[in-house]
């Protein structure tokens, strides 16, 4: 549904909402037991919640589409991720807590190796250590460009972020990574007339980098991809009329929340510390986005037992959230990360929505299999927020 | 989802996909037993597959819409049939294996009966035999028109296909069938300026037909409907990056597959022979569309027992498909043909999707009733192909 339409339904209320995102929540049965991570874990609190909640499966982006964390969370926040794309350079910047300003152009950078003729021999420069990356980034910071600020930040191993800051820049640029070995990096070209000047600036940056890196080994060159500017997203607190806060230990999720205008609360590095923050800030907000990362990490590692353990740790801490008596509690995730895939998946993500008005269904266990037949059905992720708002009695009637 | 968007996600893989379409698969319980055809049939292989597959109900075109075979199969192939309409003249031509060229204008023809004043007395000329139709078509082939080729092909009983081939033709034409008795056939008129010349040509054809048929009885005139040109469809093998083959004993389904660019394999007239073809060509393609007609025929005849038997014959042959170990096997249909309706229906069509990554649900029987609570939910038919592609690990992640 159109966000302006949703906004037109907002009515004032004092209800409190918690949206818990277990990153990579959805899983798949493993062959040995025929059971998924959720079906294996001892998660009595989630099962108890499922019994009194409306349950369903969230489908992010579209059927068969495996979402990255960006589109996955935009969906949870109520945005159709196909209508509001976020560039990869922007996501990379968000992932290191870099505060992108409107107008900044961000790109993902890789250090790479080239031979004496400038032809790429390793697109990741043998995955240099993060310390080496930090030192090389220092060299790049010395590059001066006409009329714009050059900001370079290390990410991890061979990866870094380049941000150009200044007036009249554009992200409509081609990439320098030819995606193959034995050829030199491509020059950047403008994909729209308004990007001509930015293209020239980026090419000047690349020339400067070639000079400054030529005696570094093995990382003696760089590749730039995913140029983009911070997108103009309608702001979550305005659309839904909510004082909205994000509590997330990981920078990527803080960045996504900041992108949609939530207040990002200072918090510790563990989920228990995130809940401390929730308790401390409880009176100051209507809506809390609470992010739990461990499920995704274990799934990405292909570690079924670790994902089961991560679910159990979440479940053990959940009573502290329940003790705050939120009027609406939604628990779901931004995408599946099935351990047997060792990566993100397209599979439906279990969702539960608990409130005094959520209605009953037959689901009494929080699992992929059980939520499939819940009263929420199999629904697009962006449809969760309107249901959350309704359950919080924050939407008025449409039509007389 | 947009086909270009789906195309942007395609990544190379070596997985093999089989999409089985049981024509008119969906059914309805009959009063005597309260069970549908699928619930009555002994189909242990389908039930076994359903147990390990993700199940759901396909909704073709839209809720409450009864699809013809054209829109039904376009949906299975991943196309929104409302966005990619195919004219009836085109479908009639496909149905007799007529190879329509781009630019050809095709129409469905009926022989009819008119009185001495030219007023229609029987819109189907008493359903003349196919042999009579063949002889009358011979007469029509003698008609010459200025600058275009006139192609006429018999179909069945009173039905034939007219195709005009030449430069600058248009299918934006009104029909000659007034859909009532006691009035003469209507002249064709252009529905768009670019169709003026084609309208004049068709009217000249009708004049020629009147002369050549006036002494034939009872079929002494004709009616033309559903003028259209072959639509410009994005090609299935290009969209999905698949070497795609169609195996279908019936011409209509071969024609639909050809329309979307699949290779149409030579095969025999039985489903066992279709599977022979599948086995022989297994190495040469990534994707096979395998069509089974008997379910629809029995349903159209209103023969519940025959449809049950057709399902059991399919089930008995299915192990030969499984023996090939496709990475993804999807089984569904192009529409319902409930025996108690003796025709196509709008009801949801059971679908199962089996792969190593399809996930589990509670469905352990392949029936309308059980599939309704599967993890695929009730989904538009065109959403099946993206799920098939994802399960074949042929789609990359969207967004970082």
């Amino acid at each position: 549904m159109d966000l302006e339409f949703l906004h037109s339904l907002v009515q004032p209320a004092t209800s409190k909402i918690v949206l818990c995102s277990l990153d990579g929540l959805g899983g798949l049965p493993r062959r040995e037991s025929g059971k998924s991570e959720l079906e294996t874990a001892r998660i009595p609190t989630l099962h108890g919640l499922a019994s009194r909640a409306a349950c369903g499966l969230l489908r992010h982006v579209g059927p068969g589409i495996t979402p990255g964390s960006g589109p996955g969370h935009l969906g949870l926040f109520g945005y159709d991720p196909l209508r509001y794309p976020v560039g990869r350079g922007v996501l990379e910047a968000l992932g290191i807590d870099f505060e992108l300003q409107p107008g900044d152009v961000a790109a993902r950078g890789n250090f790479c190796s080239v031979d004496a003729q400038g032809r790429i021999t390793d697109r990741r420069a043998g995955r240099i250590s993060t310390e080496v990356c930090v030192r090389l980034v220092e060299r790049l910071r010395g590059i001066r460009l006409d009329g714009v600020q050059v900001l370079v930040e290390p990410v991890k191993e061979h990866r870094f972020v380049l941000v150009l800051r200044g007036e009249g820049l554009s992200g409509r640029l081609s990439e320098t990574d030819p995606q193959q070995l034995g050829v030199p990096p491509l020059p950047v070209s403008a994909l729209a007339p308004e990007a001509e000047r930015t293209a020239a600036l980026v090419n000047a940056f690349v020339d400067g980098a070639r000079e400054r890196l030529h005696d570094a080994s093995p990382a003696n060159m760089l590749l730039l991809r995913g140029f983009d500017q911070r997108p103009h997203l309608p702001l979550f607190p305005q659309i839904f009329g909510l004082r909205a806060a994000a509590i997330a230990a990981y920078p990527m999720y803080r960045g996504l929340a900041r992108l949609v205008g939530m207040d990002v609360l200072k918090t510790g590095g563990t989920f228990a510390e995130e809940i401390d923050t929730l308790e401390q800030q409880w009176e100051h907000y209507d809506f809390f986005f609470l992010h739990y990362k461990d499920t995704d990490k274990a799934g990405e590692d292909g570690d079924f037992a670790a994902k089961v353990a991560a679910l159990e740790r979440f479940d053990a801490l959940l009573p502290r959230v329940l003790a705050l008596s939120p009027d609406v509690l939604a628990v779901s995730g931004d995408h599946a990360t099935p351990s047997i895939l060792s990566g993100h998946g397209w599979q439906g993500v279990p969702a539960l929505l608990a409130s005094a008005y959520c209605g009953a269904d037959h689901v009494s266990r929080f699992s992929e299999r059980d939520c499939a037949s819940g009263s929420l059905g199999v629904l697009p992720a962006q449809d969760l927020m309107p249901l959350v708002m309704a359950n919080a009695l924050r939407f008025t009637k449409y039509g007389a």
Side-chain angles (χ1 to χ4, degrees), chain A residues 15-26:
Chain A
S15 49
K16 297 273 188 193
I17 301 167
V18 176
L19 170 63
C20 274
S21 169
L22 285 82
D23 208 292
L25 171 63

Side-chain angles (χ1 to χ4, degrees), chain A residues 108-381:
Chain A
R108 294 175 69 170
N110 272 12
F111 289 106
C112 69
S113 308
V114 295
D115 64 16
Q117 282 72 46
R119 294 173 303 208
I120 301 168
T121 55
D122 185 335
R123 289 178 53 246
R124 295 182 184 84
R127 291 189 186 274
I128 50 167
S129 72
T130 304
E131 294 109 78
V132 173
C133 179
V134 168
R135 285 202 302 275
L136 294 175
V137 160
E138 273 304 326
R139 296 195 190 185
L140 299 180
R141 284 176 175 159
I143 300 173
R144 296 282 170 264
L145 298 180
D146 219 28
V148 296
Q149 234 184 307
V150 178
L151 304 156
V152 196
E153 293 293 336
V155 178
K156 200 183 161 187
E157 297 174 344
H158 57 289
R159 287 160 48 204
F160 66 89
V161 173
L162 168 67
V163 175
L164 299 188
R165 177 169 294 167
E167 295 296 312
L169 297 174
S170 164
R172 304 289 308 280
L173 300 172
S174 69
E175 311 192 323
T176 79
D177 187 346
Q179 302 274 357
Q180 55 177 310
L181 301 182
V183 296
L186 301 167
V188 167
S189 54
L191 301 176
E194 70 270 19
E196 294 289 356
R197 177 171 154 258
T198 317
L201 288 165
V202 173
N203 283 322
F205 173 82
V206 173
D207 289 341
R210 188 182 291 109
E211 280 170 36
R212 278 172 172 75
L213 298 175
H214 83 276
D215 60 342
S217 175
N220 57 355
M221 189 48 187
L222 53 76
L223 299 171
L224 297 171
R225 292 192 288 164
F227 291 95
D228 206 358
Q229 290 177 300
R230 183 179 157 154
H232 294 284
L233 293 173
L235 297 180
F236 183 92
Q238 287 172 18
I239 300 164
F240 295 112
L242 293 169
R243 295 175 300 163
I247 306 177
Y250 274 68
M252 167 70 90
Y253 312 98
R254 287 199 294 270
L256 285 164
R258 200 176 284 124
L259 209 56
V260 299
M262 292 185 199
D263 282 4
V264 173
L265 304 183
K266 204 170 143 64
T267 191
T270 68
F271 191 58
E273 289 170 301
E274 289 189 14
I275 298 181
D276 292 344
T277 307
L278 178 71
E279 290 165 348
Q280 289 150 15
Q281 299 284 333
W282 187 248
E283 292 309 319
H284 304 122
Y285 291 93
D286 309 308
F287 174 95
F288 294 90
F289 160 59
L290 191 61
H291 183 261
Y292 182 67
K293 178 69 179 171
D294 295 3
T295 32
D296 182 58
K297 270 199 296 192
E300 291 262 10
D301 291 343
D303 191 337
F304 192 96
K307 190 165 175 194
V308 168
L311 289 167
E312 293 180 347
R313 285 198 304 279
F314 176 86
D315 194 79
L317 287 164
L318 193 50
R320 286 181 58 197
V321 177
L322 296 179
L324 294 164
S325 301
D327 297 284
V328 180
L329 174 61
V331 180
S332 191
D334 57 340
H335 53 76
T337 306
S339 307
I340 65 167
L341 270 179
S342 298
H344 292 197
W346 62 90
Q347 295 83 1
V349 182
L352 67 80
L353 184 56
S355 87
Y357 313 106
C358 63
D361 56 26
H362 282 297
V363 181
S364 60
R365 288 176 61 82
F366 192 59
S367 72
E368 299 82 3
R369 206 183 304 245
D370 289 81
C371 287
S373 55
S375 61
L376 299 181
V378 179
L379 75 165

